Amino acid sequence: MMQQESKIGFLWQYVIACIHPSQYKELIKKKKGAFVGYVAVLVMFLVLIENVIPFAAWTASVGGLENLVLNRIPKFTLEKGYFQSESPIDFTIGGVVHIKADSSVKEFKESDFKSDYVQELLVGKKNILIKMPGGNQQIVLSQFKNWKLNNKGLAEMLPAFYMFLVFYLVVLLITKAVQYLLVALAFALICRGSVRTTEGKIVSMAESFYIAVYARTLAAVIGSANIALGYMIDSFVLMIVTVFITMGFIMRGEISVLDPQPSKE
């Protein structure tokens, strides 16, 4: 069933994955290299709309990071292990990243994190709290007693920050790819055998995995777009809807692979 390679064009694969699950049989005939390319481009697109575009749009809206640091945020200093600012600093990036610095707060606690944001950076007089998808982290400022930082110094550190962003983007791409494939594998294990032929035949594990990867495409794109737009649709409601869409696509994909027409058990 997977021996003769399909001649479907590269971009047309995504169209089929999103709206024509009855043609998944043709997609899984393509070579493994094409499948790897499909996942790689899809993951890059998801990161682009979920992270890169919102950050780029926000950066442009503040006139660039250097302008933000030197002219738009209040004057601040980090000296002798204490953070001090003329007034609180509070802004969001793309509706998903929240940054708040307030020297009137002695120490921020994890209870100060807001569930509305995927990532947060809270800077108090004596500590920094960071919330990331992988977990929370605290930095105690007393360990920087011999370090002095202000707006100008932070601006001078921006080239290093840009290098960190490149590294972070690479890590983000790898993490997104692994996450996508693991979720697809879970769908493959759960949904394999949901369709059988009259003789009781079901798709192979490899076919089930390929089908699940393609079936998740539409849900993943919708989810990333929703994040980029600041969660216009409640994330829980969207998750429920996209799970049903994905499972429906998988069933239709299995029907396309099991030829002649199977009967549902």
Side-chain angles (χ1 to χ4, degrees):
M1 218 176 271
M2 298 173 64
Q3 293 176 351
Q4 185 177 359
E5 184 187 4
S6 171
K7 300 301 181 182
I8 294 173
F10 184 76
L11 293 178
W12 191 247
Q13 294 179 88
Y14 298 95
V15 176
I16 292 176
C18 290
I19 59 178
H20 294 301
S22 60
Q23 296 181 35
Y24 283 3
K25 179 178 180 178
E26 298 303 315
L27 292 182
I28 66 174
K29 289 180 180 178
K30 297 186 75 64
K31 293 180 178 179
K32 289 183 180 180
F35 176 76
V36 172
Y38 177 94
V39 174
V41 172
L42 175 60
V43 168
M44 285 189 284
F45 178 72
L46 296 177
V47 171
L48 178 70
I49 62 175
E50 186 176 326
N51 303 99
V52 177
I53 291 178
F55 180 76
W58 173 80
T59 302
S61 72
V62 298
L65 294 182
E66 184 173 0
N67 180 64
L68 172 70
V69 170
L70 294 177
N71 304 314
R72 300 196 59 167
I73 65 173
K75 299 298 181 183
F76 75 88
T77 58
L78 174 59
E79 189 175 6
K80 297 180 180 179
Y82 294 99
F83 170 78
Q84 186 68 43
S85 62
E86 291 182 346
S87 59
I89 303 167
D90 196 335
F91 58 89
T92 60
I93 302 175
V96 295
V97 179
H98 178 224
I99 297 177
K100 182 177 181 179
D102 188 349
S103 57
S104 67
V105 178
K106 187 176 180 180
E107 289 185 347
F108 277 106
K109 301 177 181 178
E110 290 193 4
S111 58
D112 295 314
F113 286 136
K114 296 181 179 179
S115 59
D116 299 337
Y117 305 106
V118 177
Q119 301 175 28
E120 282 191 87
L121 177 68
L122 304 179
V123 183
K125 187 173 183 177
K126 299 176 67 176
N127 76 330
I128 298 174
L129 280 183
I130 304 171
K131 180 175 77 172
M132 300 285 286
N136 303 331
Q137 182 179 358
Q138 176 177 223
I139 299 174
V140 180
L141 295 179
S142 60
Q143 60 185 307
F144 302 109
K145 285 184 178 180
N146 299 321
W147 196 36
K148 183 176 181 179
L149 182 67
N150 54 24
N151 299 67
K152 183 179 178 181
L154 183 59
E156 292 172 351
M157 293 173 62
L158 287 177
F161 175 71
Y162 292 133
M163 292 181 64
F164 169 78
L165 282 181
V166 172
F167 172 76
Y168 176 72
L169 182 61
V170 173
V171 173
L172 196 61
L173 287 167
I174 295 172
T175 303
K176 175 70 76 173
V178 172
Q179 180 188 54
Y180 186 93
L181 293 173
L182 285 176
V183 174
L185 179 60
F187 271 106
L189 292 170
I190 292 170
C191 298
R192 184 187 177 211
S194 59
V195 176
R196 297 172 183 263
T197 65
T198 53
E199 293 80 19
K201 181 181 178 181
I202 63 174
V203 295
S204 68
M205 191 60 228
E207 290 170 336
S208 181
F209 177 66
Y210 284 131
I211 290 170
V213 168
Y214 294 123
R216 280 212 67 233
T217 302
L218 180 61
V221 171
I222 293 174
S224 292
N226 190 50
I227 292 174
L229 295 173
Y231 294 96
M232 293 184 64
I233 304 173
D234 181 79
S235 56
F236 180 76
V237 172
L238 186 62
M239 180 189 71
I240 297 299
V241 172
T242 53
V243 163
F244 279 104
I245 290 174
T246 301
M247 293 181 75
F249 275 25
I250 289 174
M251 290 184 67
R252 292 174 64 187
E254 290 184 359
I255 291 173
S256 77
V257 172
L258 294 170
D259 190 30
Q261 289 292 323
S263 59
K264 298 178 185 178
E265 202 175 63

